Amino acid sequence: MATYAIGDIQGCYDPLRRLLDRVKFDPAADRLWVVGDLVNRGPASVHVLRFLRGLGEAATVVLGNHDLYLLMRAAGYERREQGDTLYQVFEAPDRDELIAWLSGQPLMHVEGDYAMVHAGLLPEWTISNAHALAAEVAAALTGVDAKRLLLNLAGNSPDRWSDDLQGWDRLRVVVNALTRMRFCTPDGRMALRAKGPPDDAPPGTMPWFRVPERLYRTHTIVCGHWSALGFHREPGLIALDSGCVWGGKLTAVRLEDGEVFQVLG
């Protein structure tokens, strides 16, 4: 049995299948960890969703910002992002089943020494803190107020965590950290508009995984989201977004031995 963690797919179905063929992925014995952003901008989002849903327990998925954007659009959010290709999903005969499956996926997965999220963790969160907060959001996404939550997710404020936060503000901060963050200040204030490489950090900020006193250092974080960072490993971090949808590569890491596999997008 092997566990393959794979970076942002974003509707790139053919590279996904080529990568899994290359590693000889066997859903009866192996497991696939997907760090979010299954959909959007790529040419075959609906095929990616069908394939991963069909893997059942062989696939462990966390939600990314593009996946949440799909759920927001399905809930009636009207602002369309540039490069949106989600019409493929909305025109599919099984759209309701696919959207329901996606909405039931978590925002964080913790297993052994690894914790998987799409974007990052705030420095004041322990793994158990972050996992509990992610579970709050996941419960809300399948609860009676799921539509209202999805229509209140957009926005960059509040830009930092507080235990006193309630309502949509509380859930929005958790979602923004787990699915959108790249840079933050040492005390956890997020710079959500910044999208460049680590050397372009806004003044006073740094990559979220470089904050010196971060509390989640008990685990190695497996993530994606940051194509300008590219595939990157350092102690405590495996970052897998190597820009497949932008003509880069799709990357997988076998967690048992750290071997890297890549195919061109």
Side-chain angles (χ1 to χ4, degrees):
M1 173 179 164
T3 305
Y4 297 95
I6 190 167
D8 300 32
I9 301 168
Q10 290 200 245
C12 297
Y13 177 72
D14 288 343
L16 171 63
R17 295 305 303 267
R18 284 190 280 112
L19 184 55
L20 295 182
D21 287 345
R22 180 173 176 184
V23 302
K24 297 181 173 58
F25 178 75
D26 178 4
D30 301 327
R31 293 179 61 199
L32 186 66
W33 286 18
V34 185
V35 301
D37 278 6
L38 284 60
V39 300
N40 204 19
R41 293 197 172 125
S45 291
V46 71
H47 296 301
V48 172
L49 290 174
R50 287 172 180 155
F51 176 71
L52 293 176
R53 180 181 180 228
L55 288 178
E57 294 184 358
T60 299
V61 172
V62 295
L63 295 176
N65 55 301
H66 283 279
D67 308 315
L68 286 167
Y69 170 64
L70 168 58
L71 298 180
M72 291 164 65
R73 289 281 314 282
Y77 181 69
E78 295 183 352
R79 181 178 176 182
R80 293 191 60 176
E81 295 181 354
Q82 186 175 3
D84 180 338
T85 62
L86 294 180
Y87 65 89
Q88 309 160 7
V89 179
F90 293 129
E91 293 176 357
D94 53 347
R95 56 161 280 171
D96 292 343
E97 292 86 350
L98 295 174
I99 290 170
W101 172 80
L102 190 65
S103 68
Q105 303 310 304
L107 278 78
M108 184 175 184
H109 176 72
V110 181
E111 187 173 327
D113 295 330
Y114 293 99
M116 177 170 63
V117 296
H118 179 60
L121 296 176
L122 289 171
E124 63 265 47
W125 289 347
T126 64
I127 292 296
S128 60
N129 293 152
H131 200 206
L133 292 169
E136 277 190 43
V137 176
L141 285 172
T142 56
V144 294
D145 277 340
K147 183 174 181 178
R148 290 180 63 208
L149 167 62
L150 290 164
L151 294 178
N152 281 278
L153 273 187
N156 295 336
S157 63
D159 61 3
R160 64 179 303 162
W161 173 252
S162 167
D163 291 335
D164 296 330
L165 287 171
Q166 297 180 1
W168 308 133
D169 283 351
R170 178 182 178 89
L171 298 178
R172 189 184 307 113
V173 169
V174 176
V175 166
N176 282 345
L178 296 178
T179 71
R180 295 182 57 209
M181 177 176 61
R182 297 178 180 91
F183 300 99
C184 68
T185 62
D187 61 353
R189 190 178 300 277
M190 295 179 284
L192 291 168
R193 296 185 185 279
K195 298 183 178 182
D199 290 345
D200 289 345
T205 73
M206 61 187 68
W208 61 268
F209 53 84
R210 298 259 173 86
V211 174
E213 302 302 322
R214 57 197 185 277
L215 298 183
Y216 53 79
R217 287 178 292 175
T218 53
H219 290 62
T220 293
I221 309 302
V222 181
C223 63
H225 182 58
W226 200 344
S227 60
L229 173 66
F231 170 61
H232 177 77
R233 283 192 293 192
E234 61 181 71
L237 180 76
I238 303 174
L240 291 164
D241 185 1
S242 43
C244 181
V245 76
W246 305 114
K249 298 176 180 179
L250 190 63
T251 299
V253 172
R254 189 164 56 209
L255 296 182
E256 286 76 13
D257 61 4
E259 186 166 354
V260 179
F261 307 88
Q262 293 183 314
V263 298
L264 289 172

